[in-house]
Amino acid sequence: MSSYLSAACAALLCSAASFSLIMTTPTDVKPVVATAKEQRYTDLRRLVRCLEELEGGQWHHPGGKLCFTHGTWQAHSKLPYIQACNPTVAREVAATVLIHHEGRLLKEERIPTVRVMALCWRYGYDGAKTTQDKEKYGERVANLYADKEFYP
């Protein structure tokens, strides 16, 4: 009986000692976090569909449903601006624009989250860094991205 009790006490002391070791970790230990280059945060097709929904344009209007500006279209496509009204072409060009922004974010070691990518889409890369986003555009896109089911 006493050997059983001493074994139980020894186990209890060992667990208490290991608990105190866990609780007294050094303050300079930092958690391991993957860098922005090791992760892909966004499904670009899904993000483009969210942008389509929030931009509120119509496919038959200039700039199409994604509300492309003439300058953005020319910077990322060699096709005529009228092609922004073609859903298939416009979605491809939108993905190209987002890939461009994602590359710039990664180059600066910023994480290209859905919210940040949406702000880059709306305000341009430089504008996204300085905007206050009073309309909560980035947040609305991120919520739509997380909650909405899109069907082909």
Side-chain angles (χ1 to χ4, degrees), residues 65-85:
K65 193 167 184 173
L66 288 159
C67 300
F68 273 102
T69 62
H70 195 59
T72 301
W73 186 267
Q74 283 185 328
H76 297 280
S77 175
K78 293 181 181 180
L79 298 171
Y81 184 58
I82 190 73
Q83 288 295 314
C85 297

Side-chain angles (χ1 to χ4, degrees), residues 69-126:
T69 62
H70 195 59
T72 301
W73 186 267
Q74 283 185 328
H76 297 280
S77 175
K78 293 181 181 180
L79 298 171
Y81 184 58
I82 190 73
Q83 288 295 314
C85 297
N86 179 333
T88 306
V89 175
R91 288 177 184 137
E92 281 183 34
V93 174
T96 303
V97 172
L98 292 170
I99 288 169
H100 173 77
H101 289 313
E102 184 180 50
R104 287 184 73 183
L105 289 165
L106 290 171
K107 191 173 182 180
E108 290 186 7
E109 296 194 10
R110 293 178 59 203
I111 298 172
T113 61
V114 171
R115 181 184 169 283
V116 172
M117 296 282 282
L119 292 175
C120 287
W121 176 265
R122 179 71 169 228
Y123 302 108
Y125 184 78
D126 294 326

